[in-house]
Structure formats: C-alpha cells, structure tokens
Amino acid sequence: DTEVTQTPKHLVMGMTNKKSLKCEQHMGHRAMYWYKQKAKKPPELMFVYSYEKLSINESVPSRFSPECPNSSLLNLHLHALQPEDSALYLCASSQDGPGRGFFYEQYFGPGTRLTVT
Amino acid sequence: GNSVTQMEGPVTLSEEAFLTINCTYTATGYPSLFWYVQYPGEGLQLLLKATKADDKGSNKGFEATYRKETTSFHLEKGSVQVSDSAVYFCALSPANTGKLIFGQGTTLQVKP
C-alpha cells in the first residue's frame, strides 16, 4: 500500500483564522514533506521531516508552522495567511530522508486545496 | 546548479498516437530521475524512475531511459489513451539531498 492521506480536501479560511492541515501515512516511511503548488506550476518544497525532526525549511514564512507528532503523522498549522497563500498543499513521504546515503522515491497525497479570503 | 527542462505544452494527440515528452537535466554528481503524473484535481503519482545511467524505467506502457551522455530522460508511450490526459512532471533528485527538482510540467491532451 503506497497511500498518503490528507485532510481536509478543501479549506476556506479568513486571514485571521487558525487552521491545520493533516497528513498520514502507514508505510513505515521515516521522511515526510510539505509542498505548495500553485495552478499550472510544479510543486515547491516547504519542509522536510526526517525521523520526526525538521531537516529542511525552505525559508518558509512563520505563518506556516509544521509539526510531526510521530513517524506516521505530519501537520501544517496555518495562521494569519495571505490571499497569495491560496494553493494546493501536498504532503509526501519516502522510505528515508536527506543525508541517508540514497534517494527513495516520494509518494504524494491528494492534497488540500486552500483558499484564503 | 541542478535544473530540469521539459518541452512546453500543451501536447495534443489523437488516441493511439505515439507520445514523446522531452526532458533534459543539468545536475552535479549522479542524480536519480523520475516522471510523475498529475490528473486533474489530484496529487502527484510516481509514474516511473531510474537511478543510474542506462536504466530504463517503465510502468503502464510508459518508458524512459536515463541517458547520461545527452543528459536526457524522455518519456515515451506507444499508444496513448484518453485516460492518459494529465500533466506530466520530470524531476531529478541530487544524491543524498532528499529534494526533488521538478520541470515546469507538460500538459497532455488526448482526443478520441
């Protein structure tokens, strides 16, 4: 089973709201990723967790706050977002992560479509 | 630096036509190469991969060969179907980085 699940599927939030995106995988993968994808563009990496520790932060604004409660779960906490943050947010996982000597393919979830009003 | 260049789309084909989507890359070292597909309203699905020179990745009738001498990883399919209509992303991962570097994506439209 190569399934990554994400909730919610759609989210509409105001600029003063606080919300969270959730991602889950049960493949025993030790690396998990958040990407942002704008329409007609490739995904852009935001964060990487490896063995439940933040490994890469691609200079993402602090209004996005990731959390990895355990090896199967990844959250993205959202606060005081701007309309330009509206996008498809994709979660991915891989067997292992950066600096582990090899690259393992990433498996993506279906995404959360976020609209900031 | 590392980068991926894909042919611009959209690519429009009739059903059962032969498909080629060109992908070339620039990378230091020995990256792994991937094709991902994104159907409308969905996330990315791994289509195929190759981890070293001359490897051929294949899946669902799609093929791509890792050509180090031409720094290319072109996607091919002998006979496309309407259900193949999607956006195709070529990507590379530099060794040991955990990062995927994507091309801009190529939209494929297959007409009956």
Side-chain angles (χ1 to χ4, degrees):
Chain A
D1 183 13
T2 56
E3 187 177 27
V4 176
T5 59
Q6 291 187 243
T7 55
K9 192 172 177 63
H10 300 276
L11 179 62
V12 179
M13 60 185 291
M15 289 188 285
T16 58
N17 291 158
K18 287 185 180 180
K19 296 286 185 183
S20 297
L21 310 184
K22 296 185 185 302
C23 174
E24 190 167 5
Q25 57 88 12
H26 293 289
M27 296 178 277
H29 288 177
R30 303 314 302 266
M32 296 185 76
Y33 308 76
W34 280 116
Y35 288 85
K36 174 184 178 180
Q37 186 181 26
K38 300 286 272 186
K40 300 188 184 302
K41 296 291 187 182
E44 300 172 11
L45 182 65
M46 301 174 71
F47 303 103
V48 181
Y49 272 83
S50 180
Y51 289 79
E52 301 163 44
K53 289 185 170 31
L54 184 63
S55 176
I56 296 175
N57 177 342
E58 292 286 270
S59 302
V60 178
S62 60
R63 58 186 183 268
F64 296 90
S65 176
E67 178 195 21
C68 188
N70 59 57
S71 59
S72 299
L73 291 175
L74 185 66
N75 298 322
L76 186 64
H77 303 298
L78 313 173
H79 174 54
L81 294 193
Q82 304 297 310
E84 59 264 29
D85 296 322
S86 298
L88 181 68
Y89 287 84
L90 294 164
C91 174
S93 71
S94 64
Q95 184 175 339
D96 220 319
R100 305 294 288 189
F102 193 69
F103 179 83
Y104 296 91
E105 58 268 25
Q106 294 182 24
Y107 295 92
F108 285 79
T112 293
R113 188 160 299 281
L114 174 67
T115 303
V116 181
T117 61
Chain B
N2 299 298
S3 65
V4 176
T5 301
Q6 290 181 236
M7 61 189 291
E8 289 189 21
V11 174
T12 302
L13 296 174
S14 297
E15 207 165 22
E16 298 184 4
F18 185 85
L19 168 70
T20 300
I21 300 178
N22 290 337
C23 171
T24 57
Y25 67 90
T26 303
T28 53
Y30 303 96
S32 297
L33 301 175
F34 304 85
W35 278 101
Y36 281 86
V37 59
Q38 187 172 31
Y39 298 100
E42 297 186 11
L44 275 69
Q45 296 179 25
L46 177 64
L47 185 57
L48 52 84
K49 67 175 183 179
T51 58
K52 60 182 187 298
D54 300 325
D55 267 2
K56 177 187 280 189
S58 62
N59 185 25
K60 300 181 182 178
F62 292 90
E63 293 183 341
T65 300
Y66 189 145
R67 301 284 189 200
K68 192 165 177 63
E69 64 275 13
T70 54
T71 62
S72 65
F73 193 54
H74 305 320
L75 183 68
E76 297 182 335
K77 187 177 185 184
S79 176
V80 294
Q81 305 300 311
V82 172
S83 57
D84 294 324
S85 299
V87 180
Y88 291 80
F89 291 98
C90 184
L92 71 83
S93 180
N96 222 24
T97 64
K99 293 187 177 183
L100 275 173
I101 296 167
F102 289 94
Q104 288 302 303
T106 302
T107 300
L108 171 65
Q109 298 173 342
V110 181
K111 297 187 175 180

